[in-house]
């Protein structure tokens, strides 16, 4: 039985996005979280095509992991996730611009999205539980486990997290590399259940997708990979550097100033601190390869698939 | 017939819309699902704008966007337009499969068009658990000129 009274919504076209937001805030009362303001990313195929036209796929090949002013990320994920653009269109555009050989990384990232969808098709709702035994100790809980207020309010005191979380809440977008940092911190430092982090991303990312998002969290957690993903401060500094000023996320970070940065160590030291005896060392790292969000912005420390 | 548009293929060029350029179209915000999921507002506006972008390509008066139960609303829309068949695009996930079954149980025929993938991979039950293994299988197709 339908317990909901159906309702016809207005069809608002044109560029008055704030007016549309005000209308939707009323019509959809009780059905969303966060402030009723539009994301800077405009929905629709037309907006997606515009973004595709200006997308610098050559820069993506080289700067896809950057999160600062030099970021090469495409920001096409929301359009691909909601089918405003297809994977084949995104591939065709890159090949037309710079040829197939120069577009390999991008095409591979598009492949990740299809791969996650295929896994979802094969395994169904099993993807929401551990796909494999974790390779390291993980925190207990599930998707309902409560998330600390500091995270929900983007005031963790760690710039690399707070900048990324503000972007998530304010725009519905977060760089892929930042997603990985956050997921690693949430899962391996805070020992919170990956399911709760996945739920948070799923709710706020414009590109939130059950398959890509869930399986990417499992990749970080090590329940769908050979080993956990984690990172250190050097990685944050390298990829957040503003070449004009030399500043990074760490430059004005309260934790860096107080010397309490939890990432300021070598990979060996961090690995042993986080995982104890389950830590397998660095020599075998980098065997995995992933993409948070089903497309787009490449994972760091990934192995090359092509030579 | 009528077209049921859902949130995974919000493009005026999707195969269902392209096949029937004059057919009536309905999109339903799934109230029960949204109440549970608690998406950020920006995401709902993004979806709404994407739906409006699709509607802009269709004949005036042929489209409807609703809030409520997906099956009930789409079924009511089909009835209003005298349609005994729903056309849509195929997607992965339990909700889509459940809605399709419910439409059919209610007497509507459902045709779900496939949206082109990056590479053809019909044997879902063969997909390996590691991307590198899968990529080796499909690489030549994905990187063909």
């Amino acid at each position: 039985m339908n317990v909901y009274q159906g309702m016809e919504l207005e069809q608002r076209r044109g560029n008055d996005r704030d007016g549309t937001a005000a209308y939707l805030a009323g019509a959809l009362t009780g059905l969303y979280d966060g402030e009723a303001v539009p994301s800077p990313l405009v929905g629709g195929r037309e907006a997606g095509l515009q973004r595709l036209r200006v997308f610098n796929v050559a820069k993506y090949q080289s700067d896809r992991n950057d999160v600062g002013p030099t970021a090469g990320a495409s920001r096409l994920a929301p359009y691909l996730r909601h089918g405003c653009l297809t994977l084949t269109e995104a591939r065709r555009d890159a090949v037309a611009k710079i040829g197939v050989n120069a577009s390999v990384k991008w095409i591979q990232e598009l492949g990740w999205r299809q791969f996650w969808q295929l896994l979802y098709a094969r395994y169904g709702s099993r993807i929401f539980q551990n796909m494999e035994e974790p390779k390291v100790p993980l925190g207990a809980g599930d998707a309902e486990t409560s998330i600390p207020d500091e995270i929900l309010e983007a005031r963790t005191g760690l710039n690399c997290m707070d900048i990324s979380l503000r972007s998530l809440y304010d725009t519905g977008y977060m760089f892929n590399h930042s997603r990985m940092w956050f997921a690693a911190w949430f899962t391996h430092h805070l020992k919170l259940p990956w399911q709760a982090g996945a739920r948070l991303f799923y709710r706020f990312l414009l590109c939130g997708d059950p398959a890509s998002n869930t399986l990417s969290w499992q990749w970080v957690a090590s329940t769908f990979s050979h080993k956990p993903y984690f990172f250190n401060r050097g990685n944050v500094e390298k990829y957040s550097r503003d070449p004009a000023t030399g500043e990074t996320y760490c430059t004005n970070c309260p934790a860096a100033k107080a010397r309490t940065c939890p990432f300021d160590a070598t990979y060996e030291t961090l690995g042993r601190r986080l995982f104890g005896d389950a830590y397998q060392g660095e020599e075998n790292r980098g065997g995995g390869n992933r993409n948070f969000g089903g497309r787009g912005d490449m994972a760091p420390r990934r192995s090359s698939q092509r030579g | 017939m009528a077209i049921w548009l859902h949130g995974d293929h919000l493009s005026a060029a999707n195969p269902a819309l392209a096949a029937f350029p004059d057919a009536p179209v309905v999109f339903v915000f799934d109230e029960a699902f949204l109440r549970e999921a608690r998406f950020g507002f920006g995401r709902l506006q993004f979806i709404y704008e994407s739906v409006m972008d699709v509607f802009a390509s269709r004949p005036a008066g042929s489209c409807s966007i609703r809030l409520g139960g997906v099956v009930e609303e789409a079924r009511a829309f089909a009835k209003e337009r005298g349609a005994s068949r729903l056309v849509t695009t195929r997607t992965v996930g339990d909700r889509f499969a459940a809605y399709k079954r419910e439409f059919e149980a209610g007497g509507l025929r459902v045709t779900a068009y496939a949206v082109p993938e990056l590479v053809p991979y019909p044997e879902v039950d063969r997909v390996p658990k590691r991307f590198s293994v899968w990529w080796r299988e499909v690489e030549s197709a994905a990187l063909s000129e």
Side-chain angles (χ1 to χ4, degrees), chain A residues 42-56:
Chain A
V42 180
R45 176 172 174 79
E46 198 48 49
L49 285 170
Q50 278 177 29
R51 190 159 286 276
L52 192 60
R53 277 193 285 274
V54 301
F55 171 46
N56 185 340

PDB file of all heavy atoms in Angstrom, chain A residues 42-56:
ATOM      1  N   VAL A  42      26.126  22.450 -11.777  1.00  0.00           N
ATOM      2  CA  VAL A  42      24.745  22.500 -12.270  1.00  0.00           C
ATOM      3  C   VAL A  42      24.379  21.146 -12.851  1.00  0.00           C
ATOM      4  O   VAL A  42      25.165  20.552 -13.596  1.00  0.00           O
ATOM      5  CB  VAL A  42      24.610  23.580 -13.361  1.00  0.00           C
ATOM      6  CG1 VAL A  42      23.175  23.645 -13.882  1.00  0.00           C
ATOM      7  CG2 VAL A  42      25.061  24.927 -12.829  1.00  0.00           C
ATOM      8  N   GLY A  43      23.190  20.667 -12.531  1.00  0.00           N
ATOM      9  CA  GLY A  43      22.771  19.374 -13.045  1.00  0.00           C
ATOM     10  C   GLY A  43      22.373  19.430 -14.505  1.00  0.00           C
ATOM     11  O   GLY A  43      21.991  20.483 -15.020  1.00  0.00           O
ATOM     12  N   GLY A  44      22.469  18.274 -15.170  1.00  0.00           N
ATOM     13  CA  GLY A  44      21.937  18.168 -16.524  1.00  0.00           C
ATOM     14  C   GLY A  44      22.977  17.856 -17.583  1.00  0.00           C
ATOM     15  O   GLY A  44      24.157  18.122 -17.415  1.00  0.00           O
ATOM     16  N   ARG A  45      22.483  17.293 -18.662  1.00  0.00           N
ATOM     17  CA  ARG A  45      23.378  16.917 -19.757  1.00  0.00           C
ATOM     18  C   ARG A  45      24.063  18.136 -20.377  1.00  0.00           C
ATOM     19  O   ARG A  45      25.236  18.083 -20.721  1.00  0.00           O
ATOM     20  CB  ARG A  45      22.569  16.175 -20.830  1.00  0.00           C
ATOM     21  CG  ARG A  45      23.364  15.824 -22.067  1.00  0.00           C
ATOM     22  CD  ARG A  45      22.562  14.927 -23.001  1.00  0.00           C
ATOM     23  NE  ARG A  45      23.265  14.702 -24.240  1.00  0.00           N
ATOM     24  CZ  ARG A  45      24.255  13.835 -24.381  1.00  0.00           C
ATOM     25  NH1 ARG A  45      24.668  13.147 -23.339  1.00  0.00           N
ATOM     26  NH2 ARG A  45      24.852  13.665 -25.537  1.00  0.00           N
ATOM     27  N   GLU A  46      23.317  19.214 -20.512  1.00  0.00           N
ATOM     28  CA  GLU A  46      23.897  20.399 -21.140  1.00  0.00           C
ATOM     29  C   GLU A  46      25.101  20.879 -20.337  1.00  0.00           C
ATOM     30  O   GLU A  46      26.167  21.179 -20.893  1.00  0.00           O
ATOM     31  CB  GLU A  46      22.824  21.498 -21.230  1.00  0.00           C
ATOM     32  CG  GLU A  46      23.139  22.592 -22.204  1.00  0.00           C
ATOM     33  CD  GLU A  46      23.585  22.064 -23.572  1.00  0.00           C
ATOM     34  OE1 GLU A  46      22.907  21.178 -24.135  1.00  0.00           O
ATOM     35  OE2 GLU A  46      24.636  22.528 -24.062  1.00  0.00           O
ATOM     36  N   ALA A  47      24.938  20.950 -19.005  1.00  0.00           N
ATOM     37  CA  ALA A  47      26.051  21.367 -18.147  1.00  0.00           C
ATOM     38  C   ALA A  47      27.188  20.351 -18.208  1.00  0.00           C
ATOM     39  O   ALA A  47      28.370  20.718 -18.191  1.00  0.00           O
ATOM     40  CB  ALA A  47      25.567  21.531 -16.708  1.00  0.00           C
ATOM     41  N   GLY A  48      26.835  19.072 -18.292  1.00  0.00           N
ATOM     42  CA  GLY A  48      27.853  18.033 -18.388  1.00  0.00           C
ATOM     43  C   GLY A  48      28.645  18.141 -19.681  1.00  0.00           C
ATOM     44  O   GLY A  48      29.871  17.995 -19.695  1.00  0.00           O
ATOM     45  N   LEU A  49      27.947  18.416 -20.773  1.00  0.00           N
ATOM     46  CA  LEU A  49      28.634  18.561 -22.063  1.00  0.00           C
ATOM     47  C   LEU A  49      29.567  19.771 -22.045  1.00  0.00           C
ATOM     48  O   LEU A  49      30.667  19.736 -22.596  1.00  0.00           O
ATOM     49  CB  LEU A  49      27.613  18.703 -23.191  1.00  0.00           C
ATOM     50  CG  LEU A  49      26.886  17.421 -23.595  1.00  0.00           C
ATOM     51  CD1 LEU A  49      25.725  17.724 -24.546  1.00  0.00           C
ATOM     52  CD2 LEU A  49      27.850  16.416 -24.237  1.00  0.00           C
ATOM     53  N   GLN A  50      29.109  20.846 -21.401  1.00  0.00           N
ATOM     54  CA  GLN A  50      29.981  22.024 -21.297  1.00  0.00           C
ATOM     55  C   GLN A  50      31.247  21.693 -20.536  1.00  0.00           C
ATOM     56  O   GLN A  50      32.353  22.090 -20.896  1.00  0.00           O
ATOM     57  CB  GLN A  50      29.249  23.158 -20.573  1.00  0.00           C
ATOM     58  CG  GLN A  50      28.320  23.951 -21.471  1.00  0.00           C
ATOM     59  CD  GLN A  50      27.552  25.014 -20.705  1.00  0.00           C
ATOM     60  OE1 GLN A  50      28.046  25.526 -19.700  1.00  0.00           O
ATOM     61  NE2 GLN A  50      26.366  25.336 -21.155  1.00  0.00           N
ATOM     62  N   ARG A  51      31.072  20.954 -19.453  1.00  0.00           N
ATOM     63  CA  ARG A  51      32.237  20.581 -18.640  1.00  0.00           C
ATOM     64  C   ARG A  51      33.164  19.646 -19.418  1.00  0.00           C
ATOM     65  O   ARG A  51      34.379  19.734 -19.329  1.00  0.00           O
ATOM     66  CB  ARG A  51      31.763  19.927 -17.337  1.00  0.00           C
ATOM     67  CG  ARG A  51      32.824  19.710 -16.308  1.00  0.00           C
ATOM     68  CD  ARG A  51      32.243  19.544 -14.924  1.00  0.00           C
ATOM     69  NE  ARG A  51      31.778  20.798 -14.374  1.00  0.00           N
ATOM     70  CZ  ARG A  51      32.554  21.678 -13.751  1.00  0.00           C
ATOM     71  NH1 ARG A  51      33.831  21.432 -13.589  1.00  0.00           N
ATOM     72  NH2 ARG A  51      32.060  22.798 -13.285  1.00  0.00           N
ATOM     73  N   LEU A  52      32.565  18.772 -20.178  1.00  0.00           N
ATOM     74  CA  LEU A  52      33.364  17.857 -20.996  1.00  0.00           C
ATOM     75  C   LEU A  52      34.173  18.640 -22.039  1.00  0.00           C
ATOM     76  O   LEU A  52      35.337  18.335 -22.285  1.00  0.00           O
ATOM     77  CB  LEU A  52      32.434  16.849 -21.689  1.00  0.00           C
ATOM     78  CG  LEU A  52      33.073  15.635 -22.371  1.00  0.00           C
ATOM     79  CD1 LEU A  52      33.851  14.790 -21.374  1.00  0.00           C
ATOM     80  CD2 LEU A  52      31.995  14.782 -23.043  1.00  0.00           C
ATOM     81  N   ARG A  53      33.554  19.668 -22.612  1.00  0.00           N
ATOM     82  CA  ARG A  53      34.250  20.456 -23.636  1.00  0.00           C
ATOM     83  C   ARG A  53      35.495  21.125 -23.079  1.00  0.00           C
ATOM     84  O   ARG A  53      36.509  21.226 -23.747  1.00  0.00           O
ATOM     85  CB  ARG A  53      33.310  21.530 -24.228  1.00  0.00           C
ATOM     86  CG  ARG A  53      32.409  20.996 -25.332  1.00  0.00           C
ATOM     87  CD  ARG A  53      31.729  22.120 -26.104  1.00  0.00           C
ATOM     88  NE  ARG A  53      30.634  22.741 -25.358  1.00  0.00           N
ATOM     89  CZ  ARG A  53      29.383  22.304 -25.347  1.00  0.00           C
ATOM     90  NH1 ARG A  53      29.056  21.252 -26.047  1.00  0.00           N
ATOM     91  NH2 ARG A  53      28.456  22.918 -24.649  1.00  0.00           N
ATOM     92  N   VAL A  54      35.424  21.594 -21.844  1.00  0.00           N
ATOM     93  CA  VAL A  54      36.573  22.318 -21.286  1.00  0.00           C
ATOM     94  C   VAL A  54      37.523  21.386 -20.524  1.00  0.00           C
ATOM     95  O   VAL A  54      38.577  21.818 -20.060  1.00  0.00           O
ATOM     96  CB  VAL A  54      36.134  23.467 -20.345  1.00  0.00           C
ATOM     97  CG1 VAL A  54      35.252  24.450 -21.106  1.00  0.00           C
ATOM     98  CG2 VAL A  54      35.413  22.941 -19.115  1.00  0.00           C
ATOM     99  N   PHE A  55      37.165  20.134 -20.392  1.00  0.00           N
ATOM    100  CA  PHE A  55      37.996  19.188 -19.637  1.00  0.00           C
ATOM    101  C   PHE A  55      39.332  18.976 -20.354  1.00  0.00           C
ATOM    102  O   PHE A  55      39.366  18.617 -21.525  1.00  0.00           O
ATOM    103  CB  PHE A  55      37.243  17.862 -19.495  1.00  0.00           C
ATOM    104  CG  PHE A  55      38.058  16.730 -18.939  1.00  0.00           C
ATOM    105  CD1 PHE A  55      38.860  16.911 -17.823  1.00  0.00           C
ATOM    106  CD2 PHE A  55      38.015  15.473 -19.531  1.00  0.00           C
ATOM    107  CE1 PHE A  55      39.607  15.859 -17.314  1.00  0.00           C
ATOM    108  CE2 PHE A  55      38.758  14.421 -19.026  1.00  0.00           C
ATOM    109  CZ  PHE A  55      39.561  14.613 -17.915  1.00  0.00           C
ATOM    110  N   ASN A  56      40.403  19.211 -19.613  1.00  0.00           N
ATOM    111  CA  ASN A  56      41.750  19.050 -20.164  1.00  0.00           C
ATOM    112  C   ASN A  56      42.248  17.643 -19.843  1.00  0.00           C
ATOM    113  O   ASN A  56      42.824  17.404 -18.783  1.00  0.00           O
ATOM    114  CB  ASN A  56      42.662  20.120 -19.553  1.00  0.00           C
ATOM    115  CG  ASN A  56      44.054  20.091 -20.157  1.00  0.00           C
ATOM    116  OD1 ASN A  56      44.464  19.097 -20.745  1.00  0.00           O
ATOM    117  ND2 ASN A  56      44.764  21.188 -20.002  1.00  0.00           N
TER     118      ASN A  56
END
